Amino acid sequence: MAKEEKTVKEEKKVEVEDLPGVGEATAEKLRENGYDDILSLAVASPKDLSELAGIGEGAAVKIIASARKFADVGNFESGEEIMKRRQLVKKLTSGSKNLDELIGGGLETQSITEFFGEFGSGKTQIMQQLAVNATMPEEMGGFNCDVLMIDTENTFRPERIIQMAKAKGLDPDETLRRIQVARAYNSHHQILLVEKAIEEAKGRNIKLLIVDSLTSHFRAEFMGRGSLAGRQQMLNRHMHDLLKFGLLNNAVIAVTNQVSARPDVFFGDPTAPIGGNIVGHTATFRIYLRKSKAGRRIARLIDSPNLPEGEVVIQVTEDGISDPPS
Ligand code: ADP
Ligand code: MG
């Protein structure tokens, strides 16, 4: 654990306000648009920064230059160090052997796994199943750990957890105690909750963090405001915070994402996940869910770095997520 913690940088001391030329008003605009730490400014483009924060391009260039002086950009790691960290990776069962096999044996720690699909495709069912599974002993494909969940749509149902826990032969009360849920009221709150989660997990055995849904607040708040870049910047920051949680705690990060209901606004493809490239580049595993007949769902693995694309059938029943009878 101590070894893992060293692989991630400590919180930065220098704040956005501390940069020369950044007054209170500018700092607020920067923060609102997701530039809320020095690193995010250091890697910004002058054009984006000037447009998003409503400052001149010259001022943006200066802010970026001074952010670069203060930024803690991290270190190079040897392949050996990375290999050591990879060896700590554990896999969490989804409840379906078909799906586990498709993703190489289960959901990996130190990575973000994204489930996307239309309304009712089973994303929340899978999140709740993962929460239950993570509390199971390792022999059953769990982590025997506690779980944190950020619920943005108020769809967490303890009654459903009880059903799923019973189906696995677990004590339902104990299972409920091990799953802690926070409602996120807006995108800023959601981002703060990840910081809170990092605090909460210190000294504890929390190996699963769920965000259901990753994108609903971002989508609602930025709809039609023409500030797609600002939204992407915030989502980018959020994804990196999530990944940091995964690295610090050797935890699985599972998130859900809707497919676009507004293809004209969101990247043209009606089945495109919200957040486009930002979410795509940070999520290590992306699984597209679609409804099939009789409680069945088709799960398709999309752009994995080291696994072939493919799809499997899973089912959602009262007992939770499983393989359909063959
Ligand atoms: P999403 O989060 O993708 O919008 P959900 O995960 O909420 O979708 O999926 C809802 C669907 O899950 C329901 O339409 C139903 O098919 C299935 N479902 C939910 N609860 C149960 C249950 N207790 N038994 C069987 N199926 C259920
Ligand atoms: Mg849902």
Side-chain angles (χ1 to χ4, degrees):
M1 200 58 217
K3 179 82 195 157
E4 283 169 59
E5 288 188 28
K6 268 191 236 155
T7 62
V8 179
K9 286 281 144 192
E10 290 293 306
E11 290 297 320
K12 286 151 211 83
K13 297 284 179 291
V14 184
E15 298 291 341
V16 174
E17 289 80 0
D18 302 332
L19 294 175
V22 177
E24 232 171 76
T26 308
E28 194 171 318
K29 273 191 203 159
L30 292 174
R31 286 186 190 282
E32 266 175 16
N33 287 292
Y35 294 103
D36 53 1
D37 63 11
I38 300 297
L39 187 57
S40 65
L41 287 169
V43 299
S45 86
K47 190 164 172 294
D48 284 352
L49 191 60
S50 112
E51 279 172 14
L52 289 171
I55 52 179
E57 226 171 296
V61 168
K62 277 185 197 149
I63 290 172
I64 292 167
S66 57
R68 285 183 176 177
K69 281 188 205 142
F70 290 109
D72 182 351
V73 297
N75 294 308
F76 286 94
E77 277 183 298
S78 70
E80 191 189 17
E81 284 171 304
I82 295 169
M83 188 65 208
K84 270 191 197 148
R85 195 170 64 225
R86 286 289 303 163
Q87 282 165 350
L88 296 171
V89 167
K90 294 172 181 247
K91 291 177 183 182
L92 173 65
T93 183
S94 63
S96 153
K97 287 206 177 69
N98 295 343
L99 179 52
D100 289 353
E101 262 168 43
L102 180 72
I103 56 179
L107 282 81
E108 283 192 1
T109 60
Q110 304 177 26
S111 295
I112 298 174
T113 302
E114 175 198 354
F115 289 86
F116 70 99
E118 63 178 7
F119 176 77
S121 57
K123 303 180 294 293
T124 295
Q125 298 303 309
I126 293 177
M127 294 305 111
Q128 299 189 116
Q129 185 72 62
L130 290 171
V132 169
N133 291 356
T135 70
M136 300 192 302
E138 299 209 357
E139 313 84 80
M140 291 174 71
F143 293 159
N144 189 20
C145 71
D146 293 350
V147 176
L148 297 181
M149 183 188 283
I150 298 173
D151 179 8
T152 72
E153 297 178 317
N154 200 17
T155 50
F156 174 79
R157 292 290 174 276
E159 299 84 348
R160 193 70 179 114
I161 298 293
I162 291 173
Q163 286 180 333
M164 292 173 171
K166 281 185 180 160
K168 294 283 183 193
L170 303 171
D171 173 355
D173 295 332
E174 175 65 12
T175 308
L176 280 176
R177 269 196 294 278
R178 299 186 78 172
I179 302 170
Q180 285 174 271
V181 184
R183 279 290 309 282
Y185 296 101
N186 57 46
S187 60
H188 291 276
H189 187 204
Q190 185 176 332
I191 285 170
L192 283 177
L193 281 170
V194 181
E195 284 173 29
K196 174 99 179 162
I198 290 174
E199 280 304 305
E200 189 71 39
K202 280 187 181 149
R204 287 183 59 191
N205 180 30
I206 296 177
K207 295 217 167 317
L208 173 61
L209 173 61
I210 292 168
V211 186
D212 183 17
S213 132
L214 177 75
T215 44
S216 59
H217 284 314
F218 289 91
R219 169 155 88 163
E221 290 163 28
F222 289 87
M223 183 77 87
R225 269 175 44 188
S227 54
L228 202 58
R231 183 186 77 179
Q232 296 303 75
Q233 170 68 21
M234 278 180 70
L235 254 179
N236 187 26
R237 158 74 202 276
H238 187 44
M239 295 292 281
H240 281 96
D241 288 349
L242 290 169
L243 200 51
K244 179 173 162 186
F245 184 99
L247 291 171
L248 277 169
N249 296 289
N250 194 25
V252 166
I253 309 296
V255 304
T256 67
N257 194 355
Q258 292 114 311
V259 292
S260 169
R262 293 272 310 272
D264 52 324
V265 177
F266 296 108
F267 312 107
D269 177 354
T271 62
I274 306 298
N277 291 336
I278 294 293
V279 177
H281 289 157
T282 322
T284 321
F285 297 93
R286 315 193 84 186
I287 298 157
Y288 176 45
L289 293 169
R290 58 189 204 278
K291 284 190 225 178
S292 179
K293 46 191 184 309
R296 297 189 178 188
R297 303 289 190 277
I298 298 159
R300 179 170 187 81
L301 180 66
I302 314 260
D303 340 300
S304 156
N306 54 358
L307 291 167
E309 281 209 6
E311 56 183 41
V312 295
V313 181
I314 62 174
Q315 69 175 4
V316 187
T317 68
E318 174 149 345
D319 287 349
I321 305 297
S322 59
D323 291 326
S326 44

